[in-house]
């Protein structure tokens, strides 16, 4: 298996150094010295916001191991961001605006934010094939748009790193309930890697019809098995806790979530002997204008009773969304990006698209575990549908994809 090109661009070690008279002409800003934040824009990617600690000593430096802001870049993103390098006057593709705000608001920002200054860095991305430090140190801020940097004005400390982060990309070729083939994508090339076998307990409800029959008020006994090209089962997801409506409502609620066990074969056991790897819980949250499916994954450490929470994600029931395992979002930071799985909404044909960090895949069996997890995520969106609503034809077993 050959991975696709991805990059991890991190902006960290942030710190703001202000001259004593920096805010003397800005009434009301004095109490907010310690409540600074910044917006980080990289090309046309979504703006990221984070806090910026104040460095009071002229010789001081920020925490070098503080949590960075991370952008993940596919090869297409890199090509877009490097277009500016072909102009006679390169346009900065990394732009940072620093603000000051009051305590008690998100990231130290209130309704009206005061701009401390801004900066732009033109960073080239296309020639790097190994970890590269693009910038590390203090840089002066422009206090007006289009203005120049003052020698005695505010300064921002930042460290910008670019690290190769290759990923394997897999695609379910049809709906999970139709036992699809799973292919690896490498550009325009699709290579079959796995097959997905969906099995339902014959007593489980798949029709979503109204009625007093208890069997039609729960979804249970669903199983997914992942087979390699030789036909051997290399991973599985079993519904461990039925998806049932909570008392007084027609939905799977936080108080009683449905759950899956993600498993891999036990090498020391007999056939069909399984070793638990993780537990995925799912429930439905009421929202406006649309509900969300909440998913929580815990890794079950072998030989230990304690589990480790590695993902807590909400997916829009209408538009679908992404399930992530990304350790850059955790404290302390460890492991970086692990997995991303894109699924469709509950009324749409869903063919999960999965990205896996290459460093976490040492063999085909490693990837298979994440395919079982992706299938469980996709099926959870369907299993959390309100019980009083009939599913469109195709959601459970009959494809309506054209």
């Amino acid at each position: 298996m050959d991975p696709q090109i991805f990059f991890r661009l991190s902006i960290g070690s942030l710190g703001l150094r202000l001259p004593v008279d920096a805010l003397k002409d800005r009434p009301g800003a004095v109490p907010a010295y310690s409540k600074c934040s910044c917006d980080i824009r990289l090309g046309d990617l979504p703006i990221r916001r984070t806090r910026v600690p104040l460095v009071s000593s002229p010789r001081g430096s920020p925490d070098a191991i503080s949590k960075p802001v991370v952008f993940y870049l596919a090869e297409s993103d890199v090509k877009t961001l490097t277009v500016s390098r072909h102009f006679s006057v390169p346009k900065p593709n990394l732009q940072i605006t620093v603000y000051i705000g009051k305590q008690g608001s998100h990231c130290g920002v209130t309704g009206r934010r005061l701009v401390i200054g801004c900066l732009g860095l033109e960073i080239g991305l296309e020639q790097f094939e190994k970890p590269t430090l693009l910038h590390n140190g203090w840089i002066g801020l422009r206090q007006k748009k289009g203005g120049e940097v003052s020698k005695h004005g505010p300064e921002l400390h930042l460290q910008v790193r670019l690290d190769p982060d290759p990923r394997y990309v897999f695609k379910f070729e049809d709906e999970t309930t139709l036992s699809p083939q799973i292919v690896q994508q490498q550009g325009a090339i699709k290579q079959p890697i796995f097959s997905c076998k969906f099995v339902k307990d014959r007593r489980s409800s798949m029709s979503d019809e109204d009625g007093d029959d208890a069997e039609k008020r729960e979804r249970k006994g669903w199983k997914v098995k992942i087979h390699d090209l030789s036909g051997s089962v290399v991973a599985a997801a079993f519904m461990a806790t039925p998806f049932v409506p909570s008392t007084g409502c027609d939905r799977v609620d936080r108080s009683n979530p449905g759950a899956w066990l993600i498993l891999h074969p036990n090498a020391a056991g007999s056939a069909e002997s399984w070793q638990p790897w993780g537990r995925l819980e799912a429930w439905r949250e009421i929202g406006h204008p649309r509900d969300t499916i909440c998913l929580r994954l815990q890794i079950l450490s072998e030989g230990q009773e304690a589990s480790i929470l590695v993902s807590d994600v909400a997916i829009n029931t209408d538009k679908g969304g992404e399930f992530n395992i990304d350790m850059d979002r955790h404290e302390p930071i460890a492991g970086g990006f692990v997995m991303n799985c894109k699924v469709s909404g509950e009324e749409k044909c869903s063919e999960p698209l999965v990205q896996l960090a290459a460093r976490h895949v040492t063999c085909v069996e490693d990837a298979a575990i994440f395919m079982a997890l992706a299938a469980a995520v996709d099926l959870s969106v369907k299993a959390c549908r309100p019980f009083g609503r009939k599913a469109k034809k195709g959601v459970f077993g009959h494809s309506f994809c054209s």
Side-chain angles (χ1 to χ4, degrees):
M1 298 190 302
D2 295 322
Q4 293 192 26
I5 297 173
F6 281 81
F7 291 97
R8 176 184 185 271
L9 185 74
S10 62
I11 299 97
S13 191
L14 291 166
L16 180 65
R17 193 159 61 189
L18 292 172
V20 176
D21 60 349
L23 299 175
K24 65 181 181 180
D25 58 342
R26 300 190 179 193
V30 176
Y33 267 110
S34 61
K35 301 299 175 183
C36 301
S37 65
C38 71
D39 285 354
I40 302 176
R41 181 192 296 273
L42 183 65
D44 294 327
L45 298 177
I47 295 175
R48 304 290 297 278
R49 182 175 298 173
T50 188
R51 294 177 183 242
V52 181
L54 189 67
V55 180
S56 56
S57 171
R59 295 186 178 181
S61 59
D63 184 359
I65 60 172
S66 61
K67 188 175 181 179
V69 171
V70 177
F71 291 91
Y72 297 117
L73 308 174
E75 190 173 14
S76 58
D77 297 321
V78 172
K79 290 179 180 178
T80 300
L81 289 168
T82 54
V83 168
S84 63
R85 296 177 61 80
H86 301 293
F87 292 96
S88 57
V89 180
K91 179 182 178 182
N93 46 28
L94 178 64
Q95 300 183 33
I96 302 176
T97 304
V98 182
Y99 301 89
I100 211 161
K102 295 182 179 180
Q103 188 174 4
S105 55
H106 179 65
C107 284
V109 178
T110 57
R112 182 173 181 269
R113 299 189 293 173
L114 298 175
V115 177
I116 295 296
C118 57
L119 65 85
L121 290 176
E122 192 273 321
I123 53 176
L125 303 173
E126 72 272 21
Q127 73 271 33
F128 300 112
E129 296 180 356
K130 59 183 180 180
T132 304
L133 184 62
L134 301 177
H135 178 87
N136 185 35
W138 293 96
I139 185 169
L141 297 175
R142 299 190 311 273
Q143 293 183 272
K144 293 182 179 180
K145 186 176 181 180
E148 295 184 359
V149 176
S150 171
K151 293 182 179 180
H152 304 289
E155 296 177 292
L156 183 70
H157 187 281
L158 72 159
Q159 183 182 92
V160 184
R161 286 188 58 87
L162 183 70
D163 296 284
D165 190 26
R167 301 180 184 182
Y168 296 108
V169 180
F170 298 93
K171 181 74 164 23
F172 285 62
E173 290 282 82
D174 209 331
E175 292 185 75
T176 307
T177 54
L178 296 179
S179 300
Q181 187 177 61
I182 302 173
V183 299
Q184 182 193 356
Q185 293 186 337
Q186 177 61 272
I189 301 175
K190 294 183 179 182
Q191 178 184 359
I193 299 292
F194 304 109
S195 61
C196 169
K197 178 66 175 178
F198 173 73
V199 179
K200 65 179 184 293
D201 189 298
R202 62 182 178 180
R203 297 171 299 169
S204 63
S205 170
M206 299 292 282
S207 62
D208 286 358
E209 295 175 358
D210 291 324
D212 295 329
D213 190 340
E215 290 182 0
K216 293 182 178 180
R217 298 290 290 170
E218 62 182 17
R219 292 151 191 161
K220 62 182 180 180
W222 300 7
K223 301 177 182 179
V224 172
K225 294 183 180 181
I226 306 299
H227 298 255
D228 63 16
L229 294 180
S230 70
S232 300
V233 180
V234 285
F238 293 169
M239 192 177 280
T241 303
F243 285 66
V244 300
S246 295
T247 304
C249 65
D250 68 345
R251 69 181 187 280
V252 181
D253 191 66
R254 176 192 288 267
S255 62
N256 188 27
W260 298 80
L261 278 180
I262 313 302
L263 311 111
H264 59 86
N266 188 345
S270 59
E272 294 294 307
S273 176
W274 300 98
Q275 178 70 39
W277 175 84
R279 179 181 174 88
L280 178 73
E281 294 182 332
W283 66 93
R284 190 184 191 96
E285 292 280 1
I286 296 297
H288 301 283
R290 294 296 299 179
D291 295 352
T292 57
I293 305 300
C294 297
L295 298 152
R296 180 183 294 155
L297 175 67
Q298 294 176 312
I299 298 300
L300 306 177
S301 301
E302 187 173 354
Q304 300 181 10
E305 294 184 2
S307 58
I308 303 171
L309 179 66
V310 296
S311 185
D312 195 349
V313 176
I315 292 178
N316 186 290
T317 57
D318 184 26
K319 298 179 181 179
E322 299 182 6
F323 175 85
N324 296 290
I325 305 177
D326 186 351
M327 305 313 292
D328 279 332
R329 302 181 181 183
H330 292 249
E331 296 284 3
I333 301 167
F337 170 84
V338 180
M339 173 198 185
N340 174 281
C341 173
K342 294 182 180 179
V343 296
S344 301
E346 62 188 4
E347 301 289 357
K348 300 176 181 177
C349 173
S350 187
E351 300 174 357
L353 179 67
V354 184
Q355 296 179 1
L356 296 180
R359 65 182 177 280
H360 290 287
V361 179
T362 59
C363 59
V364 172
E365 288 75 14
D366 291 341
I369 293 174
F370 291 101
M371 297 305 106
L373 174 59
V377 168
D378 183 50
L379 289 170
S380 292
V381 176
K382 307 298 189 293
C384 286
R385 293 181 70 257
F387 280 76
R389 182 193 305 170
K390 290 188 177 182
K392 288 184 178 180
K393 184 179 180 180
V395 173
F396 296 116
H398 298 284
S399 178
F400 55 83
C401 302
S402 57

